[in-house]
Amino acid sequence: MIKNFLRGFSALSLALVPFLSSPAALAAPTAEVTTLADAVGLVKVTEEDRTGYSRSSFKHWNSGDDATDGCNTRAEVLIAEAVVAPAVEAGCKLSGGTWRSYYDGQEVTSAGALDIDHMVPLAEAWDSGASAWSAVRREAYANDQGATVSLVAVTARSNRQKSDQDPADWMPPSPEAQCRYVGEWVSTKLRWGLTADDRELEALKVYAEGPCEDTIVRYTPAA
């Protein structure tokens, strides 16, 4: 029985060789898993510069991950994050459904009461390296559904309180949300190769070396 298993495993391994050695497979980014402290240590530090920033430099919302479903990125995120699925009507109009805004712990039953927050705000991304990107890459960033932490459905109030601030100046009001938030912030910065300024990094270190030392960060570099 063991020999048959090994023989089958060997055959499967040989069958996978062409796939694993193909250019597409070799080029696929590798998922990284590390502690929050180590992840913070990977974020490069530079001064931030908002010169030339415009929200319109980041095209959103586009047609989303599925260009055939009639829903834009905002709607697709709302559908994906609902704890009770909404009905999807003609023109991707959402009705019903329930969401939980993790920033403030609020339960929301109207899609219109939610914002889709960019975990690292567009202005902060611009300051941290996106100013040098192509328009195509900025659009990819603004509509990123390749990582579940990049875009998050939260109450409009909490999103607007956050605005374009980094963790040195704003944290979710719900204490239970803060370690998750710091981990997702750092994950997004690493995914997109964004930098941090000195104040931001020091704030991240306070959480990484204190109440959030057990937080695990997972990220896959954006293609």
Side-chain angles (χ1 to χ4, degrees):
M1 183 175 177
I2 294 175
K3 288 182 179 179
N4 288 339
F5 172 78
L6 292 174
R7 189 179 299 116
F9 181 80
S10 298
L12 177 61
S13 300
L14 289 172
L16 287 173
V17 167
F19 170 76
L20 294 175
S21 61
S22 68
L26 294 174
T30 302
E32 303 289 345
V33 181
T34 186
T35 64
L36 178 58
D38 285 348
V40 170
L42 295 174
V43 180
K44 295 181 179 179
V45 183
T46 62
E47 293 184 8
E48 294 184 349
D49 183 1
R50 196 159 295 186
T51 303
Y53 169 71
S54 171
R55 190 172 176 82
S56 63
S57 296
F58 295 81
K59 182 182 176 182
H60 69 293
W61 305 109
N62 64 18
S63 58
D65 276 358
D66 184 353
T68 68
D69 65 1
C71 297
N72 64 13
T73 300
R74 170 186 161 81
E76 289 183 356
V77 173
L78 286 170
I79 293 167
E81 294 196 1
V83 294
V84 176
V88 183
E89 301 172 357
C92 200
K93 181 179 179 181
L94 306 183
S95 62
T98 302
W99 292 263
R100 184 167 181 81
S101 167
Y102 94 80
Y103 287 1
D104 50 13
Q106 297 297 305
E107 185 175 282
V108 181
T109 56
S110 170
L114 294 160
D115 281 354
I116 303 303
D117 181 38
H118 293 93
M119 174 54 59
V120 174
L122 301 180
E124 169 70 20
W126 180 272
D127 298 349
S128 308
S131 60
W133 294 351
S134 67
V136 170
R137 188 166 179 81
R138 286 197 288 267
E139 179 179 351
Y141 176 84
N143 297 275
D144 182 20
Q145 294 185 68
T148 58
V149 304
S150 296
L151 301 171
V152 57
V154 294
T155 58
R157 180 180 181 182
S158 64
N159 183 44
R160 290 162 199 181
Q161 287 175 340
K162 172 184 173 179
S163 186
D164 59 5
Q165 299 175 93
D166 69 34
D169 296 308
W170 187 88
M171 287 290 288
S174 173
E176 294 79 10
Q178 292 179 355
C179 290
R180 173 182 170 182
Y181 182 79
V182 171
E184 293 184 357
W185 179 279
V186 174
S187 172
T188 304
K189 287 248 164 166
L190 292 175
R191 172 169 168 76
W192 288 93
L194 297 171
T195 61
D197 62 18
D198 288 328
R199 288 186 67 248
E200 176 187 347
L201 188 72
E202 289 307 310
L204 295 173
K205 285 181 177 179
V206 168
Y207 287 93
E209 296 169 3
C212 304
E213 63 179 352
D214 294 329
T215 297
I216 298 300
V217 173
R218 298 173 176 83
Y219 69 96
T220 301

